[in-house]
């Protein structure tokens, strides 16, 4: 988990603004001088004198390097209008911006990865008034955002150019720039009226050929976005009206959504399964992977330290500060083909096999150690038995010594002649030798003994042994014991077994003491015998002296056996201790190895199952592919024939389509013109219809009024006719009354007539006017 890296860059101020700046930068923190509590700390803060290359080095360089390795990366410049975002991203004639620096760096890094081959594509788009336009193909407008499992979130129809060098990329960028929406505001002569997203898609795979089993066919695909956002603005400051005002409101709206998304992410809403409104604006939807998703993201927050923009700067810093708390989780984006997957699995299985082999080897060693331990235990057991035997023997010898003394004391009472029976062990040899030297005398003595003479030394020993030891309890007899003594392991041999662990622990003084208890005897048995005879008290017979000599020798042997016994005992203790320790550690090791072996067996089993499953899949796929290939080759042949035929017709069709396309575009233009003009006409017509409706309404009213007046006129006509008829009758009456008396009457009638005539004229005029008006209205009505 990596959090968004935030860098702040303050643009240079004119000297008069610098004097009155309310902000103070110290280290990686910026605070209001008057209110030190309003303080913001970031990963890096760059002052007015910094270079864009320093800003690039702070984080973007790392993001570019990671993009080459397969990690997605996004860097965007945020800030109010005129704070220097475009200057930072695009740069100027004197100072290259983040985009050119990143492009050069990207190709440089690619060249360093000699073991991989790369394919780089680029695209350039703008979001203008919430519409996505392709800056590389300006005709591609109002593009839509889509999302699917394979491509994630993408802009459908956005063109991508394959690029091989930085110069090529920058050429495309310049072309795109020329189609970007830029406008003049009170704050910036070249103010960006849209958000632009410059995107590079980097694909790479191992260069190694197919025969290389260590290589993997996985393809890494990463996306690097460099975003120049439009600046937040206040209409009052920018003086935006009309189109600019509309642009400004779209810019502010999308930046507000970006702010909300960052706020929600910084509060950990996403982690709690809450809703993050990525879809509320095109900007946040496109940048969704960079905001709390799979990408390394950095924000360059551009600010101005001028007093007049303190509020805007504070709100930019608040946004940036929230962004600091947003975490992303970038990981290498790898696409694995079936073959690559199979190769990788095979490699894993081989590794597991090797591991299993080594573990089995360990197990074998453990078993060997176990066997050795068992053998050691048996050896120890035998040693113990032998030690016991030695103990028994020593007690036996001591008893015999005591019995010998008893025999010697009884000799004074009873004169007896005896000779030791030939001993079966090595001691007897030593005794026999001097006896044989005495010739026939000794052999006769032996015969005597056999013929019921007093019991010999051996018999005495047997008796004393029988009185002290119960052979049945131990399961062996004296003769067994004497025989086994011969097979006793050499004490030095035993010492040799353990000497590498512990030296002889018996003190030298003890050994000497032990030796001192036995009188020193010459090495040669004859000399020993003579020495004994010289030492023996006078009055002892030769046989008695011999017996004493034998006893002394036996004593000697017993002592040396005692010594050996104690040495053996010591060694035995050591061996036991070492064996116990070894046993414990071996058991531990054995258990551990057994566990490992079991786990590995399990892993191997799973791997084997996987391998067999994959093998079956591969086999079935291979079969299908073979079948498909044979079908395809047949079809291809047929198709190639058809292709030849159709190529010609396609060429014709293409030319026809081109013509059609031209005529269609002409038609489309005409249609657009017609649409535009008809739109005006329709509008006009609708106004006219409304006027006509109004007019016809008034005309109808007028007509009804005229109808009424016509009725009046008809009445007047009738009246006129009546008057005319009255007039005619009056004229007739005048003619008839042409007498003097009637002169007065005539005069009055004439006056009456005159009045009637004027009345008639007036009515006539009125009628004429009405008729004219009616005709006019009827004409008007007909034309409408
Ligand atoms: N660090 C800087 N050094 C020198 N000049 C700068 C710096 N930053 C910005 N300017 C200058 O300030 C002016 C405005 O910068 P620019 O157009 O990059 O701002 P903007 O934030 O992109 O604005 P708008 O959001 O309106 O597009 C430009 O003339 C630019 O050359």
């Amino acid at each position: 988990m990596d959090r968004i890296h935030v860098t702040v860059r303050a643009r240079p101020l004119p000297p008069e603004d610098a004097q009155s700046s309310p902000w103070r930068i110290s280290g990686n923190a910026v605070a209001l001088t008057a209110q030190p509590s309003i303080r913001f700390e970031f990963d890096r803060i760059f002052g007015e004198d910094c270079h864009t290359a320093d800003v690039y080095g702070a984080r973007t360089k790392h993001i570019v390097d990671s993009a080459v390795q397969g990690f997605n990366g996004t860097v965007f410049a945020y800030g109010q209008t005129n704070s220097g975002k475009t200057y930072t991203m695009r740069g100027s004639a004197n100072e290259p911006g983040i985009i050119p620096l990143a492009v050069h760096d990207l190709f440089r890094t690619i060249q360093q990865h000699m073991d991989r081959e790369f394919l780089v594509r680029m695209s350039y788009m703008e979001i203008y008034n919430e519409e996505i336009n392709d800056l590389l193909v300006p005709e591609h407008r109002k593009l839509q955002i889509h999302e699917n499992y394979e491509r994630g979130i993408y802009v459908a129809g956005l063109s991508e150019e394959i690029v091989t060098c930085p110069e090529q990329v920058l050429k495309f960028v310049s072309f795109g720039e020329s189609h970007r929406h830029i406008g003049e505001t009170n704050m910036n002569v070249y103010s960006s009226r849209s958000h632009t997203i410059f995107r590079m898609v980097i694909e790479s795979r191992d260069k190694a050929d197919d025969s290389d089993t260590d290589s993997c066919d996985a393809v890494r695909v990463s996306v690097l976005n460099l975003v120049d956002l439009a600046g937040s603005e206040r209409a009052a400051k920018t003086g935006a009206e009309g189109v600019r005002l509309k642009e400004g409101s779209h810019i502010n709206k999308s930046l507000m959504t970006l702010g909300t998304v960052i706020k929600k992410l910084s509060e950990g809403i996403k982690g709690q399964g809450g809703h993050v409104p990525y879809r509320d604006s095109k900007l946040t939807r496109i940048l969704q992977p960079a905001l709390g998703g799979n990408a390394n993201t950095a924000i360059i927050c551009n600010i101005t330290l001028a007093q007049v923009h303190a509020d805007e700067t504070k709100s930019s810093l608040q946004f940036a500060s929230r962004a600091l708390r947003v975490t992303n989780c970038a990981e290498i984006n790898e696409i694995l083909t079936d073959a690559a997957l199979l190769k990788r699995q095979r490699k894993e299985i081989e590794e597991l096999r090797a591991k299993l082999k080594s573990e089995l080897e360990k197990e074998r060693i453990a078993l060997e150690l176990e066997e050795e331990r068992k053998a050691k235990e048996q050896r120890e057991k035998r040693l113990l038995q032998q030690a016991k035997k030695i103990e028994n023997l020593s007690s036996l010898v001591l008893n015999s010594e005591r019995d010998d003394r008893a025999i010697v004391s009884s000799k004074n009472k009873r004169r007896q002649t005896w000779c030791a029976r030939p001993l079966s062990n090595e001691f007897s040899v030593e005794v026999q030798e001097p006896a044989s030297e005495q010739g026939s005398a000794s052999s006769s003595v032996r015969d005597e003994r056999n013929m019921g003479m007093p019991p010999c030394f051996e018999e005495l020993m047997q008796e004393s042994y029988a009185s002290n030891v119960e052979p049945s309890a131990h399961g062996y007899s004296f003769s067994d014991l004497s025989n086994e003594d011969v097979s006793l392991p050499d004490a030095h041999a035993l010492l040799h077994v353990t000497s590498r662990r512990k030296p002889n622990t018996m003190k030298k003084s003890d050994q000497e003491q032990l030796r001192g208890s036995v009188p020193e005897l010459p090495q040669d048995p004859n000399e020993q015998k003579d020495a004994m005879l010289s030492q023996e008290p006078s009055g002892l017979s030769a046989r008695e002296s011999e017996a004493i000599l034998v006893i002394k020798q036996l004593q000697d042997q017993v002592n040396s056996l005692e010594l050996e016994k104690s040495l053996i005992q010591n060694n035995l203790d050591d061996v036991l201790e070492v064996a116990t320790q070894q046993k414990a550690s071996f058991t531990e090791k054995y258990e551990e190895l057994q566990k490992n072996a079991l786990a590995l067996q399990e892993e191997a089993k799973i791997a084997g199952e996987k391998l067999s499953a994959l093998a079956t899949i591969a086999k079935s796929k291979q079969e299908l592919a073979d079948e498909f290939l044979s079908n395809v080759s047949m079809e291809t042949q047929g198709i190639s024939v058809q292709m030849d035929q159709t190529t010609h017709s396609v060429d014709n069709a293409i030319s026809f389509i081109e013509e059609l396309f031209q005529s269609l575009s002409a038609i489309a233009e005409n249609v657009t013109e017609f649409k535009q003009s008809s739109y005006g006409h329709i509008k006009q017509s609708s106004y006219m219809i409304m006027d006509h409706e109004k007019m016809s309404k008034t005309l109808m009213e007028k007509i009804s009024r005229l109808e009424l007046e016509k009725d009046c006129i008809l009445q007047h006509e009738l009246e006129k006719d009546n008057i005319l008829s009255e007039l005619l009758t009056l004229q007739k009456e005048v003619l008839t009354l042409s007498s003097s008396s009637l002169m007065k009457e005539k005069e009055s009638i004439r006056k009456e007539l005159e009045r009637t005539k004027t009345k008639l004229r007036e009515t006539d005029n009125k009628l004429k006017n009405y008729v004219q008006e009616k005709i006019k209205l009827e004409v008007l009505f007909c034309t409408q």
Side-chain angles (χ1 to χ4, degrees):
M1 291 285 263
D2 249 350
R3 63 168 178 77
I4 290 183
H5 189 277
V6 182
T7 307
V8 172
R9 182 184 198 182
R11 61 157 293 179
L13 287 177
E16 61 275 13
D17 282 347
Q19 296 275 312
S20 59
S21 172
W23 297 98
R24 190 170 50 82
I25 295 174
S26 61
N28 287 328
V30 57
L32 275 173
T33 324
Q35 289 169 274
S37 60
I38 299 180
R39 184 175 181 278
F40 302 92
E41 207 167 322
F42 299 98
D43 293 307
R44 285 296 296 272
I45 296 187
F46 291 97
E48 303 170 39
D49 309 325
C50 77
H51 295 287
T52 309
D54 302 329
V55 181
Y56 174 76
R59 184 66 177 178
T60 315
K61 187 176 170 41
H62 166 77
I63 290 178
V64 171
D65 289 348
S66 301
V68 175
Q69 286 166 30
F71 292 93
N72 293 336
T74 297
V75 179
F76 56 88
Y78 178 93
Q80 73 159 122
T81 182
N82 202 36
S83 57
K85 298 180 295 296
T86 308
Y87 183 87
T88 302
M89 294 310 284
R90 287 278 297 123
S92 64
N94 304 324
E95 194 175 21
I98 297 283
I99 292 176
L101 286 173
V103 168
H104 280 285
D105 220 16
L106 185 110
F107 282 97
R108 221 181 357 256
T109 317
I110 282 176
Q111 274 170 4
Q112 285 164 9
H113 285 75
M114 306 288 280
D115 55 334
R116 297 186 75 79
E117 53 192 4
F118 287 84
L119 176 76
V120 184
R121 289 172 280 147
M122 67 156 285
S123 60
Y124 201 19
M125 65 184 126
E126 72 167 0
I127 304 170
Y128 175 69
N129 287 351
E130 277 304 279
E131 283 171 3
I132 303 168
N133 302 328
D134 191 339
L135 290 175
L136 298 185
V137 185
E139 302 85 61
H140 292 181
R141 309 185 80 80
K142 298 185 185 179
L143 304 176
Q144 296 302 311
I145 301 170
H146 292 292
E147 184 175 11
N148 65 23
Y149 178 73
E150 278 175 6
R151 294 184 65 185
I153 297 163
Y154 66 98
V155 178
L158 182 70
S159 64
E160 279 185 341
E161 296 290 341
I162 294 174
V163 284
T164 51
C165 64
E167 291 72 30
Q168 200 185 355
V169 178
L170 297 176
K171 223 167 157 183
F172 279 122
V173 172
S174 301
F175 176 80
E177 278 297 312
S178 62
H179 291 95
R180 182 182 179 178
H181 281 87
I182 291 170
E184 188 179 343
T185 66
N186 286 352
M187 287 187 70
N188 192 352
V189 187
Y190 297 102
S191 179
S192 311
R193 309 313 293 163
S194 62
H195 310 297
T196 57
I197 301 172
F198 166 73
R199 177 171 281 185
M200 298 199 81
V201 183
I202 304 136
E203 274 183 36
S204 74
R205 66 167 201 159
D206 261 350
K207 246 182 197 167
D209 60 339
D210 292 344
S211 58
D212 187 356
T213 47
D214 281 350
S215 73
C216 182
D217 294 336
V219 177
R220 289 181 188 166
V221 186
S222 54
V223 177
L224 175 69
N225 293 314
L226 301 175
V227 187
D228 180 11
L229 296 177
S232 54
E233 58 188 44
R234 289 191 177 168
K237 283 188 179 176
T238 54
E241 284 173 349
V243 180
R244 294 279 166 273
L245 191 67
K246 191 182 163 197
E247 289 166 352
S249 90
H250 277 296
I251 291 167
N252 286 347
K253 205 175 146 218
S254 59
L255 289 175
M256 220 162 74
T257 311
L258 177 65
T260 315
V261 166
I262 291 282
K263 188 168 178 282
K264 296 245 173 188
L265 290 172
S266 69
E267 287 165 357
I269 295 286
K270 198 181 179 192
Q272 296 158 19
H275 172 68
V276 182
Y278 291 113
R279 287 169 190 266
D280 283 7
S281 84
K282 296 253 170 35
L283 177 70
T284 46
R285 183 80 176 117
I286 293 175
L287 293 181
Q288 186 172 342
L291 304 167
N294 171 19
N296 290 314
T297 303
I299 295 177
I300 301 167
C301 179
N302 289 84
I303 55 168
T304 165
L305 300 177
Q307 167 77 60
V308 67
H309 300 307
D311 282 347
E312 287 88 339
T313 301
K314 192 174 147 195
S315 99
S316 292
L317 291 174
Q318 276 167 344
F319 166 87
S321 183
R322 275 196 289 271
L324 270 177
R325 295 196 291 274
V326 177
T327 49
N328 283 355
C329 187
E331 50 191 40
I332 288 185
N333 302 295
E334 266 187 349
I335 299 168
L336 277 174
T337 59
D338 277 357
L341 198 70
L342 205 65
K343 216 170 178 181
R344 186 170 275 190
Q345 299 259 7
R346 203 177 293 146
K347 210 173 151 190
E348 272 175 20
I349 288 164
E350 268 161 24
E351 279 170 9
L352 280 171
R353 263 198 199 136
K355 216 173 160 186
L356 186 69
K357 212 172 158 189
S358 79
E359 290 301 324
L360 284 173
E361 184 66 18
K362 276 184 193 166
E363 204 178 346
R364 194 182 59 77
I365 291 166
L367 283 171
E368 276 177 12
L369 284 170
E370 177 69 6
E371 274 171 20
E372 203 180 308
R373 187 184 62 81
K374 277 181 185 162
K376 219 166 220 171
E377 270 177 9
Q378 277 180 350
R379 267 208 304 276
E380 278 165 21
K381 219 171 165 184
R382 258 176 46 212
L383 276 171
L384 274 171
Q385 282 175 353
Q386 282 165 356
K388 219 174 226 174
K389 281 176 192 170
I390 289 162
E391 212 174 305
N392 288 336
L393 187 61
S394 62
S395 68
L396 202 68
V397 169
L398 285 171
N399 285 336
S400 71
E401 204 176 356
R402 197 186 60 227
D403 292 345
D404 284 349
R405 272 199 297 276
I407 290 162
V408 169
S409 64
S410 69
K411 269 182 188 162
N412 297 329
K413 298 172 198 167
R414 195 174 143 211
R415 193 169 175 273
Q416 287 172 343
T417 310
W418 67 278
C419 174
R421 194 188 291 174
L423 292 170
S424 61
N425 58 16
E426 58 198 311
F427 310 141
S428 65
V429 177
E430 288 170 16
V431 179
Q432 272 176 355
E433 273 176 8
S436 62
E437 276 169 20
Q438 285 169 14
S440 57
S442 62
S443 64
S444 65
V445 171
R446 226 175 280 137
D447 290 339
E448 274 176 30
R449 187 208 63 173
N450 291 340
M451 288 162 69
M453 291 302 287
C456 67
F457 173 68
E458 191 181 343
E459 282 164 352
L460 285 170
M461 278 177 79
Q462 246 174 348
E463 277 170 19
S464 75
Y465 180 72
S467 64
N468 289 309
V469 183
E470 282 180 32
S472 60
H474 291 86
Y476 52 81
S477 65
F478 179 78
S479 59
D480 290 338
L481 189 75
S482 59
N483 283 332
E484 275 200 30
D485 282 345
V486 179
S487 67
L488 269 180
D490 182 15
H492 292 288
L494 280 170
L495 273 175
H496 177 69
V497 171
T498 53
S499 61
R500 57 204 152 95
R501 297 196 183 93
K502 201 172 171 183
N504 184 10
T505 49
M506 190 174 214
K507 285 180 198 165
K508 209 175 174 185
S509 59
D510 290 348
Q511 290 178 14
E512 275 166 6
Q513 200 187 342
L514 201 64
R515 244 180 271 129
S517 63
V518 180
E520 286 288 330
L521 286 174
Q523 290 295 310
D524 184 15
N526 291 331
E527 281 174 20
Q528 281 181 9
K529 189 182 156 191
D530 295 342
M532 288 295 290
L533 288 172
S534 66
Q535 282 173 17
E536 75 189 24
S538 59
L540 283 179
S541 70
R543 242 186 300 163
E544 283 168 342
S545 305
E546 259 178 45
I548 290 165
L549 182 67
V550 170
I551 288 161
K552 289 271 185 197
Q553 281 172 345
L554 280 170
Q555 183 70 47
D556 204 16
Q557 296 244 346
V558 165
N559 286 338
S560 70
L561 280 170
E562 280 286 349
L563 180 69
E564 272 181 18
K565 183 196 150 192
S566 65
L567 289 173
I568 288 164
Q569 191 61 47
N570 284 338
N571 285 337
L572 208 60
D573 290 346
D574 294 345
V575 168
L576 269 172
E577 198 182 315
V578 171
T580 325
Q581 282 173 2
Q582 276 183 351
K583 187 191 167 189
S585 73
F586 284 150
T587 321
E588 218 170 84
K589 259 188 193 169
Y590 178 68
E591 278 170 3
E592 199 180 306
L593 283 169
Q594 242 178 352
K595 262 187 212 165
N596 286 347
L598 276 171
L600 280 166
Q601 267 172 358
E602 199 62 37
E603 270 181 40
K605 205 175 154 192
I606 293 164
E609 277 168 10
K610 266 188 189 172
L611 189 68
S612 60
L614 282 169
T616 8
I617 291 168
K619 206 175 158 189
S620 62
K621 278 195 176 170
Q622 187 64 45
E623 281 170 8
L624 280 172
D626 288 345
E627 199 181 313
F628 178 70
L629 272 174
S630 64
N631 289 341
V632 165
S633 65
M634 278 167 68
E635 276 175 22
T636 316
Q637 282 173 356
I639 288 166
S640 65
V641 178
Q642 280 179 12
M643 277 277 279
D644 293 338
Q645 290 168 354
T646 45
T647 311
H648 187 66
S649 48
V650 165
D651 287 343
N652 292 341
I654 285 169
S655 56
F656 174 71
I657 285 165
E658 277 171 358
E659 280 170 23
L660 204 68
F661 192 73
Q662 280 173 359
S663 55
L664 268 173
S665 55
I667 289 167
E669 276 173 20
N670 288 343
V671 166
T672 326
E673 276 174 27
F674 176 72
K675 246 168 106 180
Q676 280 173 353
S677 62
S678 55
Y679 182 71
H681 283 306
I682 287 164
K683 223 171 178 182
Q684 273 181 354
S685 303
S686 65
Y687 286 137
M688 270 170 69
I689 287 165
M690 274 161 65
D691 290 346
H692 278 295
E693 276 171 357
K694 269 185 201 166
M695 222 187 218
S696 60
K697 211 174 165 185
T698 48
L699 281 173
M700 287 303 279
E701 281 170 7
K702 270 188 180 174
I703 286 166
S704 58
R705 257 202 331 264
L706 282 170
E707 288 290 336
L708 284 172
E709 280 173 10
K710 197 177 154 190
D711 291 343
C712 290
I713 288 163
L714 281 171
Q715 268 184 355
H716 280 295
E717 287 276 340
L718 282 172
E719 275 177 24
K720 186 185 152 190
D721 288 344
N722 288 336
I723 290 165
L724 274 172
S725 59
E726 268 179 35
L727 196 68
L728 281 171
T729 47
L730 278 170
Q731 271 179 340
K732 276 177 188 170
E733 278 177 19
V734 167
L735 283 171
T736 51
L737 293 171
S738 55
S739 60
S740 58
S741 59
L742 289 174
M743 278 304 284
K744 282 184 182 176
E745 212 177 328
K746 193 184 168 182
E747 188 60 37
S748 65
I749 287 167
R750 193 188 58 82
K751 279 181 184 172
E752 183 68 39
L753 193 68
E754 279 296 327
R755 273 203 304 272
T756 310
K757 268 183 178 175
T758 22
K759 212 176 168 184
L760 200 66
R761 266 201 300 275
E762 277 172 10
T763 312
D764 208 10
N765 284 338
K766 247 184 183 177
L767 192 66
K768 269 180 187 169
N769 284 338
Y770 277 132
V771 167
Q772 272 176 0
E773 213 169 323
K774 188 194 164 195
I775 289 162
K776 261 187 201 169
L777 281 170
E778 272 172 356
V779 168
L780 201 67
F781 191 68
C782 288
T783 53
Q784 280 173 9

